[in-house]
């Protein structure tokens, strides 16, 4: 199961650069994680300034 980005996302884009698989993309005013591409590595979690990325 993939990580998810919650409503707390401020769309800063910091997680985009941290994802080694490019599984994070902008969708409207927030970022979303492609569940099929996410391998649950957790690289995106520590860089989120508002703690909007949650573990599966």
């Amino acid at each position: 199961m993939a990580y998810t980005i919650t409503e707390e996302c401020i769309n800063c884009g910091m997680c985009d650069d941290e994802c080694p698989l490019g599984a994070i993309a902008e969708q409207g005013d927030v970022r979303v994680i492609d569940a099929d591409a996410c391998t649950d590595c957790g690289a995106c979690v520590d860089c989120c300034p508002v703690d909007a990325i949650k573990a599966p």
Side-chain angles (χ1 to χ4, degrees), residues 30-56:
V30 295
R31 295 290 202 257
V32 293
I33 298 175
D34 180 349
D36 293 331
C38 178
T39 60
D40 302 329
C41 72
C44 57
V45 176
D46 292 332
C47 73
C48 182
V50 294
D51 195 32
I53 303 172
K54 302 300 178 191

